[in-house]
Amino acid sequence: MLPDLNEFLVRLKSLFSKRRLDNEMAEELEFHQTLLREKLLRHGVPQSELDTATRKTFGNQSRWQERIRELWQFRAIENLRRDVSFSIRLLRKSPGFTAIALLTLALGVGANTSVFSLINGLLLRPLPVPNAQQLAVLRMEEGGPVPNYSFITPFFRSLESRHDLFANVFAYNPDKFQVKGQSGNENVVGVLVSGQYFQALQTPPLLGRYLTPEDDRPGGSSAGLAVVISERFWKSWFNRAPDAIGRKLIVANVPFTVVGVMPKRFIGADPTQRPQIFAPLSADPIIDAPRNHIDGGIHAWWLTVVARMNPGMTIDQANAALLAVSNPILHEASTDASFTTEEERGHFHFAAEPGSRGFTYARILFRKPLIAMFSMCGGILLLACLNLTSLLMARSAARERELATRLALGATRRRLIHQLLIESLLIAIIGTALGLVAAPLVSRSLGAMLMSANFAEQVQLDTSLDLRVFLFAALIAVTTAVLIGLVPALQATGGDLNEHIKEGQSANKANQSRKVLPRVLMTLQVALALVLVAGAGLLATSLVKLYKSGAGFDPNGLVNIAFSMDKQQLEGDQLMQVYQHIGEELEHQPGVKSASFEFIVPLSHRGWNGRYSAPGAEPKLMWMNAVGPKYFATMQIPLFMGREFTWSDTKASGLKVILNQSAAKLLFPNRNALGEQITDPSTKTSYEVIAVVGDTKYNDMRAPASAIGYVPIQQDEQEKPSLTAVIRLDPTHNQQAPLAAAAHAIASRLAPTIPAPTLTSMSEIMDNSIGAERMMAVLAIFFAGCALLVTGIGLYGTLAYSTARRTSEIGIRMALGAQRAGVIALIFRENAVVALAGCGTGLVAAILASRALASFLYETSPRDPWILVSSVAALTCIASAASLLPAIRASKIEPITAIRCE
């Protein structure tokens, strides 16, 4: 055992002191040779023959050195070091090839890693809490096509009280809290949490304590209302003061006591949220005032519910337990028989699913787009591998004589394949590293674009590189090295040595069969590029049609300024007077053409609907909005008949409503809606129709125009509505910064206790509303451009290598009378055949693959002939351009020079 250990230590030592050991070995060999010379002299060998006799006895000194090195070196490591060093020298000798190879791989790997980082952050990464695998997200099956993840308070409280079901059950609801700072109220990202929230997530606080069930009671615990803050909030608001625990924090004009600070790593149960304040769920009537979700009962579906299962419990066991309690809880929740009957008709029951990754609605919305993008990225990586395989095969073909000579001198085929694969692995590793460098920036940009599509500004997606991403990149590197290196290595080291060593026409004839595989690979590359280009064309056309479909109003020059009025003192008519003054002052700002107000911002993914009926008809579902005077003129929505609202349209003047065309046709299909009455059956309230306006998109650009009813903001049921000012700017004076400053100044004077108003352009809202489609189209166009570039490089490089090998043949042809035009046609024909075969194959594949994009397209056929023809034309142009330069270069070969090469 001890000799083996000593041998290992000597080998290990040799890795770091090779030069010293070589010197020692040389000294030892010289010592033994000296001893041998002395011995030979004693036996009478003449001085002149000593060196010859010594060499004859010892043999080749270099061979002895190699054999001794094998005794104290790790042979595999030494061979690897030599192969890496040799590969680096080869790559440095071909800077053009190396640059193209690395950039091609960096593009493919960077795209895949960036999108995988998105998928990892949204779909794969577990919550940073202990034993996350024990968490389960609860949902309700109600007979609909998709489950319901939003709970009502009675359902949650019943589940929370049944301690025999799970170790813990908690609920939460992300929100914005109005917190009083040094300069007035500010909006802070927060979350309302139930009493078992922190206990279930098992993350100890950094300071103080976390909230408990005693805090989750009306009015708080015996010590009063309490909140827990994040480490980031502790740093920005309290400057990390140790005495922050126990201080008062004014939230929604009510004092709360800070009882704990959570560490930075704690993000809660939603991976897309970064809450700064955690408040008890029972404080909702205070924080969300004047709204009250708790008292809303069966009409307020607002909670996300998560459970921590008991140790050893499985999801199947959890589902069985939930199924047993579903019906009793349903009947406990409400005395409304119609509600219970409707839920039972849909076979209502609770269910659980794995919750180690927490819950976010973004996961449901973006799963399919992310998978589609990842498929496109896979296509780009495969395209890059095909391209590099073709280039390496052409490059290896140019090195056939060198490799054959090495085989003839005693190198084994396995050893040469190993060396060629190391070269491929080196390219793959460096390309992967370059892709990893770019991946974080790209993934953050994509994540911001994706999250802004349907969520508020506080939503974030963690796309940082973690072990899972690095393992994915390592897998890509190894797979890429095998894909791009194995086939060229096998082909370059196979065949007849004599034919490889020869140069000239005989070798070309013997290798005719070896030209088939590169052409097949290039055909597949063209076909794959055509699929990506066609897909990009479909998505881009769909996006253009989506923009051209219009929203029913002109978004250019339209700005929204949101005011948070729900926590200030004024309400009712007094608050409306404040809004009127704000509107008048905004309208007098430089560059403002008109101003109005709205409760629901179109395409913001917020909604308000209700059922309304015409006299003698069944109630119909309509979307609703509360808007101010001059709203339709400001939005540039056509007014077909009637009048707009005025500030005199108060509740005392009678309830009014304006219908869009779709709503008028829905409620009054056979008559003029103007002057008619519509009724809300739930409140028995009637509204007079005073106008009919044009259709607009409500909350989805892809959906057809909905039936919409508009009521005056003065007649809104809310006493303290938070409205958004709609500003139409003059195109010649489209300056938003001065307008934002003016809005802040006006709000500070007329409503000094509210947070600073936020300004957003309508064009930005429209872009965000189709963020997923826009990102897919942008990426698809980028990938298509890269596919065309990579394909062009591949065709050019492969043809250039093959043309260089045919120098003597072309020279002989020209010496025998071939014209330059004929030579150009001869060379050009090689790529033309590949391009045509690839386009034909790719056309079939594109038609089949386009079905997968059908659900992402808007008013665009997956088999649009114009897009397919344009894609083929683009590939044909690229192939022609890539073929022209080698063909022209071949036609300029001087016959005498080519024959001398032979």
Side-chain angles (χ1 to χ4, degrees):
M1 185 70 181
L2 189 59
D4 291 340
L5 179 60
N6 289 334
E7 181 182 346
F8 175 79
L9 292 175
V10 170
R11 289 174 183 265
L12 187 64
K13 184 180 179 181
S14 71
L15 294 176
F16 308 100
S17 55
K18 179 184 175 184
R19 181 173 296 179
R20 185 175 62 81
L21 290 173
D22 278 344
N23 292 334
E24 291 178 358
M25 179 178 61
E27 291 175 1
E28 187 171 353
L29 283 172
E30 181 64 30
F31 172 73
H32 286 289
Q33 288 176 347
T34 301
L35 291 179
L36 179 61
R37 289 190 185 95
E38 293 175 354
K39 181 179 178 181
L40 291 174
L41 281 173
R42 287 195 300 270
H43 286 79
V45 177
Q47 183 75 33
S48 60
E49 299 178 4
L50 280 179
D51 290 340
T52 303
T54 302
R55 283 198 299 271
K56 187 180 295 184
T57 303
F58 265 89
N60 186 283
Q61 183 172 346
S62 298
R63 179 58 184 154
W64 272 104
Q65 290 176 338
E66 289 180 2
R67 293 180 63 185
I68 293 174
R69 284 195 190 101
E70 291 175 359
L71 296 177
W72 51 259
Q73 286 182 341
F74 291 106
R75 188 172 182 180
I77 295 177
E78 185 64 20
N79 287 339
L80 178 62
R81 185 192 65 78
R82 290 173 180 171
D83 289 342
V84 170
S85 177
F86 182 68
S87 297
I88 291 174
R89 289 199 302 271
L90 282 179
L91 293 176
R92 290 177 61 184
K93 286 177 64 178
S94 306
F97 167 80
T98 304
I100 290 173
L102 294 181
L103 288 176
T104 302
L105 266 186
L107 174 68
V109 173
N112 278 270
T113 307
S114 299
V115 176
F116 182 78
S117 296
L118 281 177
I119 293 175
N120 181 48
L122 191 61
L123 305 180
L124 302 178
R125 179 179 286 144
L127 293 175
V129 300
N131 302 310
Q133 73 281 358
Q134 294 179 352
L135 297 177
V137 175
L138 305 190
R139 65 178 192 265
M140 290 165 289
E141 302 287 350
E142 300 172 297
V146 293
N148 183 8
Y149 292 92
S150 295
F151 280 65
I152 57 176
T153 307
F155 283 169
F156 162 65
R157 292 303 185 188
S158 294
L159 289 167
E160 181 189 44
S161 64
R162 295 174 185 262
H163 303 292
D164 56 327
L165 283 177
F166 300 104
N168 303 105
V169 178
F170 65 89
Y172 64 93
N173 179 53
D175 204 347
K176 276 190 176 181
F177 297 172
Q178 282 195 20
V179 183
K180 187 174 182 180
Q182 294 181 352
S183 58
N185 282 337
E186 298 182 27
N187 284 325
V188 178
V189 179
V191 61
L192 293 164
V193 302
S194 64
Q196 298 182 38
Y197 180 87
F198 291 100
Q199 184 180 353
L201 294 179
Q202 297 182 352
T203 302
L206 186 67
L207 290 177
R209 65 175 179 87
Y210 49 60
L211 300 177
T212 65
E214 286 70 28
D215 296 301
D216 188 20
R217 296 174 179 173
S221 66
S222 57
L225 295 167
V227 293
V228 169
I229 60 176
S230 70
E231 185 176 356
R232 176 182 168 189
F233 188 85
W234 177 47
K235 178 181 179 181
S236 60
W237 282 64
F238 294 98
N239 198 27
R240 304 183 72 92
D243 63 346
I245 305 301
R247 288 196 195 179
K248 298 295 182 181
L249 197 64
I250 308 301
V251 183
N253 301 321
V254 175
F256 285 73
T257 302
V258 177
V259 297
V261 178
M262 296 304 294
K264 184 185 300 182
R265 68 179 183 276
F266 182 78
I267 61 173
D270 186 333
T272 64
Q273 295 285 338
R274 299 295 181 270
Q276 305 300 301
I277 301 176
F278 302 84
L281 196 67
S282 58
D284 173 70
I286 298 172
I287 292 176
D288 275 334
R291 295 173 295 275
N292 187 336
H293 296 98
I294 294 176
D295 289 347
I298 63 173
H299 301 291
W301 301 79
W302 65 301
L303 295 174
T304 302
V305 179
V306 182
R308 177 172 286 279
M309 298 183 291
N310 292 306
M313 190 178 196
T314 65
I315 288 292
D316 290 338
Q317 293 171 336
N319 278 313
L322 288 169
L323 186 62
V325 301
S326 295
N327 198 52
I329 290 178
L330 174 62
H331 286 82
E332 290 173 10
S334 175
T335 57
D336 188 338
S338 61
F339 169 77
T340 306
T341 302
E342 185 176 352
E343 293 293 334
E344 287 179 334
R345 191 180 297 119
H347 304 287
F348 168 89
H349 64 277
F350 297 111
E353 61 186 51
S356 62
R357 298 165 292 127
F359 177 80
T360 174
Y361 279 103
R363 190 175 294 141
I364 300 172
L365 290 173
F366 299 132
R367 186 188 302 271
K368 286 181 63 179
L370 282 175
I371 292 174
M373 284 191 294
F374 195 54
S375 300
M376 288 190 286
C377 290
I380 282 291
L381 183 61
L382 180 57
L383 189 65
C385 291
L386 289 172
N387 177 54
L388 289 180
T389 301
S390 300
L391 290 177
L392 283 172
M393 287 180 67
R395 189 166 180 263
S396 298
R399 294 175 58 195
E400 280 180 353
R401 189 180 187 193
E402 169 211 333
L403 297 174
T405 303
R406 291 169 65 184
L407 286 169
L409 292 176
T412 64
R413 188 185 184 197
R414 178 180 177 183
R415 184 74 183 83
L416 287 182
I417 290 175
H418 182 268
Q419 193 276 316
L420 292 173
L421 284 177
I422 289 298
E423 183 179 345
S424 303
L425 181 61
L426 195 61
I427 293 173
I429 290 174
I430 299 175
T432 301
L434 292 174
L436 278 175
V437 170
L441 178 61
V442 176
S443 61
R444 280 197 298 270
S445 301
L446 294 178
M449 188 187 299
L450 197 66
M451 291 296 104
S452 67
N454 289 275
F455 298 98
E457 58 185 10
Q458 70 265 27
V459 174
Q460 301 177 30
L461 182 60
D462 183 8
T463 59
S464 59
L465 304 181
D466 61 6
L467 179 61
R468 194 177 288 102
V469 177
F470 282 114
L471 289 176
F472 174 78
L475 178 63
I476 284 183
V478 174
T479 305
T480 301
V482 174
L483 286 176
I484 68 176
L486 188 58
V487 173
L490 291 174
Q491 188 180 51
T493 57
D496 190 339
L497 286 181
N498 292 326
E499 294 296 339
H500 287 323
I501 293 176
K502 292 177 183 177
E503 288 183 347
Q505 190 67 14
S506 59
N508 286 333
K509 289 180 179 177
N511 291 330
Q512 287 298 321
S513 61
R514 300 164 66 84
K515 296 180 181 179
V516 175
L517 184 57
R519 291 179 180 176
V520 171
L521 291 177
M522 290 308 303
T523 300
L524 292 177
Q525 186 174 340
V526 173
L528 182 57
L530 181 60
V531 172
L532 290 172
V533 172
L538 289 171
L539 290 171
T541 303
S542 173
L543 184 65
V544 170
K545 289 186 175 181
L546 196 56
Y547 271 111
K548 286 186 176 180
S549 67
F553 54 85
D554 183 8
N556 298 317
L558 205 59
V559 174
N560 296 287
I561 305 176
F563 295 89
S564 299
M565 295 286 192
D566 51 354
K567 301 300 183 294
Q568 49 81 48
Q569 300 299 318
L570 300 177
E571 60 183 31
D573 292 339
Q574 291 180 316
L575 180 57
M576 288 301 112
Q577 290 178 7
V578 172
Y579 276 125
Q580 184 175 359
H581 292 318
I582 290 174
E584 290 172 351
E585 295 201 27
L586 286 174
E587 203 163 16
H588 286 90
Q589 297 302 312
V592 175
K593 294 177 65 177
S594 61
S596 185
F597 292 93
E598 62 190 356
F599 178 60
I600 301 293
V601 177
L603 304 175
S604 64
H605 296 281
R606 293 179 58 211
W608 159 29
N609 58 29
R611 293 188 177 275
Y612 297 85
S613 62
E618 291 292 322
K620 303 293 177 59
L621 183 67
M622 282 201 319
W623 292 98
M624 301 297 294
N625 201 354
V627 300
K630 297 191 290 185
Y631 175 76
F632 301 102
T634 302
M635 295 286 289
Q636 294 187 1
I637 300 173
L639 180 66
F640 294 122
M641 59 181 70
R643 65 172 180 86
E644 287 217 43
F645 297 129
T646 65
W647 289 107
S648 61
D649 286 320
T650 60
K651 294 179 181 178
S653 65
L655 300 182
K656 306 291 193 299
V657 67
I658 293 176
L659 303 179
N660 70 349
Q661 279 185 307
S662 295
K665 291 178 181 178
L666 179 68
L667 297 176
F668 306 99
N670 300 316
R671 62 183 188 271
N672 189 345
L674 195 64
E676 296 285 348
Q677 298 282 325
I678 66 170
T679 303
D680 181 353
S682 61
T683 60
K684 309 300 182 184
T685 306
S686 293
Y687 299 81
E688 179 189 356
V689 180
I690 65 168
V692 176
V693 297
D695 287 341
T696 61
K697 301 293 179 68
Y698 190 80
N699 56 14
D700 188 356
M701 280 288 290
R702 296 174 64 95
S706 306
I708 305 175
Y710 302 89
V711 297
I713 54 175
Q714 306 94 303
Q715 297 180 4
D716 195 343
E717 294 179 358
Q718 300 181 78
E719 292 298 326
K720 294 182 180 181
S722 291
L723 302 179
T724 298
V726 188
I727 310 296
R728 171 71 62 182
L729 295 176
D730 192 315
T732 61
H733 198 284
N734 194 356
Q735 299 292 325
Q736 295 184 15
L739 182 61
H744 190 188
I746 294 169
S748 299
R749 188 174 70 257
L750 298 178
T753 61
I754 69 170
T758 56
L759 184 147
T760 313
S761 70
M762 196 66 221
S763 296
E764 182 181 350
I765 292 174
M766 284 188 65
D767 287 342
N768 290 343
S769 70
I770 53 174
E773 291 87 348
R774 189 161 53 95
M775 182 175 66
M776 288 186 65
V778 169
L779 282 180
I781 293 171
F782 175 72
F783 292 156
C786 294
L788 292 174
L789 179 62
V790 169
T791 303
I793 291 172
L795 288 170
Y796 168 78
T798 304
L799 188 61
Y801 272 118
S802 64
T803 303
R805 296 185 68 224
R806 296 175 62 184
T807 299
S808 58
E809 173 202 339
I810 294 169
I812 293 172
R813 285 177 181 272
M814 296 187 71
L816 293 175
Q819 299 298 313
R820 294 187 184 276
V823 172
I824 291 176
L826 174 70
I827 301 301
F828 191 85
R829 194 181 304 123
E830 286 194 15
N831 268 10
V833 172
V834 170
L836 289 175
C839 286
T841 306
L843 198 58
V844 176
I847 292 173
L848 296 175
S850 62
R851 297 177 182 176
L853 292 176
S855 61
F856 301 105
L857 302 179
Y858 177 80
E859 295 184 356
T860 303
S861 170
R863 299 180 180 180
D864 190 313
W866 290 106
I867 295 175
L868 296 176
V869 169
S870 300
S871 302
V872 172
L875 259 297
T876 304
C877 291
I878 290 296
S880 300
S883 307
L884 193 59
L885 190 58
I888 294 175
R889 186 181 299 161
S891 70
K892 294 182 179 179
I893 293 175
E894 293 295 334
I896 190 63
T897 304
I899 293 173
R900 283 200 186 112
C901 290
E902 181 66 21

